[in-house]
DNA sequence: CCCAATTTGTACGTATGTATA
DNA sequence: TTATACATACGTACAAATTGG
């Protein structure tokens, strides 16, 4: 079976088209949370593109936090985490940004797709907490 | 001049070493906010690595929100934005995550390194807002 | 307004390293 | 140990956007 949903002609690049297609499959549930994606080499064959193009697409999906990749194992759809509710005391300030590599290591934040929230001197991984003003 | 601060031996990969070096130069002010970085090909020569290695390093720095890249022009150190203060009314809920491509286009959020904050039915680019509970 | 140089983006190839199962 | 799969890193070529003359 050949996948012809990507085209070399139009406005959008190949890897963006591939990313959009996989994104749709994730959001539709065809690729369920926690399940494995096909191997990059397999996808390269399916879409009839180079593996590098698949890797660029996967890179975008990682940056969005949609998938998680690690060496030696197929990429998986990120599981929706349980979020702990944090109460913001009156006057508390909050800013969000992407973590540094040091902060990822320090606070066990995944390398890709997960912002951090700074509240006072505390730091929270955005995928494990939500906040409510009180 | 040859840069010998990267090594092919130890634990950390080449592109991570390059990223760490550039990150240090940004944080020290050697690469000031708004200024241009050297071209990727130039850096590849300086560090004596392939351009792909430089691009991987730049990719990490983009994901952290440290630099901004666009076609046809050297990457620049991200300028520290003015943050508008948003007051969180009592009971308001807030979560953070990375934006989808659609949201980037819709809300003029840069493609890389900028999370979004969801408050009620509003969406805020994390680099332009900070929040305070009241 | 157009042209040319510069620079990043995209896409292909190949090979090897390393973690997982 | 072996096979699988992603990660790293080199190469090449061309596309497309920006800048400046």
């Amino acid at each position: 079976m050949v996948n012809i949903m990507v085209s070399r002609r139009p406005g959008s690049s190949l890897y963006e088209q591939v990313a959009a297609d996989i994104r749709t499959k994730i959001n539709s549930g065809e690729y369920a949370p926690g399940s494995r994606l096909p191997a990059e080499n397999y996808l390269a064959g399916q879409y009839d593109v180079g593996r590098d193009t698949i890797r660029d697409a996967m890179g975008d999906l990682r940056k969005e936090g949609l998938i998680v990749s690690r060496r030696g194992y197929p990429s998986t759809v990120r599981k929706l985490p349980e979020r702990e509710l944090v109460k913001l005391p009156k006057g508390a300030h909050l800013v969000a940004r992407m973590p540094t590599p040091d902060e990822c290591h320090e606070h066990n934040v995944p390398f890709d797709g997960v912002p951090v929230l700074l509240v006072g001197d505390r730091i929270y991984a955005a995928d494990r907490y939500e906040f409510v003003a009180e």
Side-chain angles (χ1 to χ4, degrees), chain A:
Chain A
M1 188 271 280
V2 176
N3 236 315
I4 53 170
M5 54 200 64
V6 296
S7 162
R8 279 142 210 284
R9 313 299 175 203
S12 146
S13 59
L14 282 182
Y15 85 88
E16 286 172 327
Q17 295 177 60
V18 172
D21 189 61
I22 297 176
R23 189 182 296 111
T24 298
K25 287 183 165 64
I26 291 174
N27 290 330
S28 76
E30 182 171 340
Y31 294 142
S35 69
R36 295 178 301 175
L37 294 178
E40 293 177 355
N41 279 326
Y42 176 83
L43 290 171
Q46 287 298 300
Y47 289 99
D48 193 25
V49 298
R51 187 192 162 201
D52 186 61
T53 299
I54 300 295
R55 283 193 61 73
D56 284 345
M58 301 290 241
D60 268 16
L61 300 175
R62 271 193 296 271
K63 285 192 290 191
E64 294 168 43
L66 276 182
I67 68 171
V68 177
S69 303
R70 53 179 174 149
R71 253 186 180 145
Y73 194 75
S75 295
T76 57
V77 180
R78 187 191 291 278
K79 287 187 236 183
L80 303 178
E82 294 290 319
R83 277 195 161 97
E84 183 179 338
L85 189 63
V86 175
K87 296 176 180 174
L88 292 173
K90 185 174 297 190
H93 278 252
L94 182 150
V95 295
R97 58 167 170 76
M98 293 309 286
T100 65
D102 283 347
E103 289 168 341
C104 287
H105 185 268
E106 178 90 19
H107 298 90
N108 204 31
V109 181
F111 203 68
D112 291 282
V114 179
V116 291
L117 291 134
L118 308 175
V119 183
D121 58 349
R122 297 282 306 272
I123 180 170
Y124 299 91
D127 65 340
R128 295 200 291 268
Y129 298 93
E130 60 179 309
F131 299 83
V132 59
E134 66 166 12

